[in-house]
């Protein structure tokens, strides 16, 4: 007899765009309807406690840690505690770590290692079928950012850029979450740019610099 798998909802996007707040609100709504929920998170803080670099200092090793720890957390969240979990809320879906890493390489003006990038990409792609819903926040630079975090404005914009390029490249259906509810919309694979076009866009962005303004930072 097989146990029904819980619905898995993942969120990704650059820091201070409301990811954790969004999942907390979803969790509260589900619990209000009596639905057992588990929520993962705090990967960035836990990586730092493990002595790993984060934010614009991310490396391939720290990225692999975040991806694999996130996978382990999502698996552990499905355990009955004390009753079967019906919904798992993943604060930072696996592609999130890739976006932070790609942005860090560009921020440091490093030449990407294509083999290392592809290895990490393949690792993340193994989890694609597990997400029933994927939410991707969109950076709104007009909104104020709390001063308690020392965020680099340009790096924050680069993470947002690479988040949406990665989703377009791999043609991953997702819901874009903006600060304006009237513009929030799903992005199915049929309406997305071709992978070849998206790859060209990323290659161009990796050779240039994206200028922009400035939870748990990765």
């Amino acid at each position: 007899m097989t146990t029904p798998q819980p619905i898995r909802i993942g969120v990704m996007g650059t820091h201070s765009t409301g990811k954790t707040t969004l999942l907390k609100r979803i969790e509260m709504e589900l619990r209000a309807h009596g639905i057992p929920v588990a929520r993962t998170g705090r990967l960035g803080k836990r990586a730092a406690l493990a002595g790993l670099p984060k934010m614009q200092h991310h490396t391939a090793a720290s990225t692999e840690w975040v991806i694999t720890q996130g996978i382990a957390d999502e698996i552990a969240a499905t355990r009955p505690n004390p009753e079967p979990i019906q919904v798992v809320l993943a604060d930072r879906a696996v592609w999130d770590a890739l976006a932070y890493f790609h942005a860090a390489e560009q921020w440091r003006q490093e030449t990407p290692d294509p083999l290392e990038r592809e290895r990490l990409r393949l690792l993340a792609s193994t989890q694609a079928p597990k997400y029933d819903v994927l939410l991707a926040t969109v950076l709104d630079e007009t909104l104020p950012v709390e001063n308690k975090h020392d965020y680099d404005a340009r790096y924050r914009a680069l993470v947002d850029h690479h988040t949406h390029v990665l989703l377009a490249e791999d043609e991953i259906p997702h819901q874009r979450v903006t600060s304006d509810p009237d513009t929030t919309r799903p992005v199915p694979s049929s309406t997305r740019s071709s992978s070849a076009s998206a790859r060209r866009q990323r290659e161009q962005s990796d050779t240039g610099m994206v200028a922009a303004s400035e939870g748990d930072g990765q």
Side-chain angles (χ1 to χ4, degrees), residues 162-208:
H162 283 283
T163 293
H164 298 286
V165 169
L166 277 168
L167 291 170
E169 283 184 354
D170 288 351
E171 299 187 341
I172 300 169
H174 60 283
Q175 178 93 12
R176 287 169 62 90
V177 181
T178 71
S179 57
D180 181 357
D182 293 333
T183 62
T184 298
R185 64 188 187 278
V187 183
S189 58
S190 59
T191 63
R192 212 172 292 115
S193 303
S194 68
S195 296
S197 174
R199 287 182 188 278
R200 285 196 298 272
Q201 178 186 358
R202 187 161 124 211
E203 288 169 359
Q204 292 169 358
S205 72
D206 284 347
T207 59

Side-chain angles (χ1 to χ4, degrees), residues 78-95:
T78 64
R79 71 195 186 285
N81 186 30
E83 56 185 335
I85 296 298
Q86 294 184 24
V87 179
V88 172
L89 303 175
D91 193 345
R92 298 194 179 279
V94 290
W95 294 279

Side-chain angles (χ1 to χ4, degrees), residues 3-211:
T3 302
Q5 290 298 306
I7 294 172
R8 192 172 305 202
I9 301 174
V11 65
M12 60 185 292
T14 195
H15 34 288
S16 296
T17 51
K19 297 182 300 296
T20 301
T21 300
L22 174 62
L23 285 188
K24 284 181 179 179
R25 289 178 178 175
I26 294 174
E27 180 181 10
M28 289 175 60
E29 185 72 18
L30 292 172
R31 290 190 184 280
H33 287 80
I35 299 173
V37 182
R39 179 163 57 89
T40 69
R42 302 180 64 83
L43 286 170
K45 288 184 174 62
R46 288 156 56 195
L49 289 173
L52 295 169
K54 55 187 288 189
M55 304 295 281
Q56 59 264 41
H57 308 295
H58 259 309
T59 63
S62 63
T63 301
E64 185 171 6
W65 187 95
V66 172
I67 291 174
T68 54
Q69 188 61 58
I71 293 171
D73 287 353
E74 291 176 31
I75 292 172
T78 64
R79 71 195 186 285
N81 186 30
E83 56 185 335
I85 296 298
Q86 294 184 24
V87 179
V88 172
L89 303 175
D91 193 345
R92 298 194 179 279
V94 290
W95 294 279
D96 193 79
L98 288 180
Y100 273 79
F101 177 48
H102 292 180
E105 288 187 317
Q106 184 176 350
W107 187 88
R108 297 193 299 261
Q109 301 184 51
E110 294 179 355
T111 301
D113 181 339
L115 293 179
E116 193 73 334
R117 276 197 173 192
E118 187 61 19
R119 181 180 70 82
L120 293 171
R121 191 190 197 100
L122 289 172
L123 176 61
S125 68
T126 63
Q127 303 305 298
K130 295 185 177 181
Y131 292 101
D132 298 284
V133 177
L134 185 62
L135 306 173
T137 59
V138 178
L139 175 63
D140 183 348
E141 297 175 30
T142 66
L143 296 180
V145 179
E146 293 186 25
N147 294 325
K148 65 179 182 179
H149 296 298
D150 184 20
Y151 288 147
D152 181 277
R154 184 172 144 269
Y155 178 65
R156 183 171 178 241
L158 286 171
V159 175
D160 179 73
H161 169 75
H162 283 283
T163 293
H164 298 286
V165 169
L166 277 168
L167 291 170
E169 283 184 354
D170 288 351
E171 299 187 341
I172 300 169
H174 60 283
Q175 178 93 12
R176 287 169 62 90
V177 181
T178 71
S179 57
D180 181 357
D182 293 333
T183 62
T184 298
R185 64 188 187 278
V187 183
S189 58
S190 59
T191 63
R192 212 172 292 115
S193 303
S194 68
S195 296
S197 174
R199 287 182 188 278
R200 285 196 298 272
Q201 178 186 358
R202 187 161 124 211
E203 288 169 359
Q204 292 169 358
S205 72
D206 284 347
T207 59
M209 307 316 299
V210 177

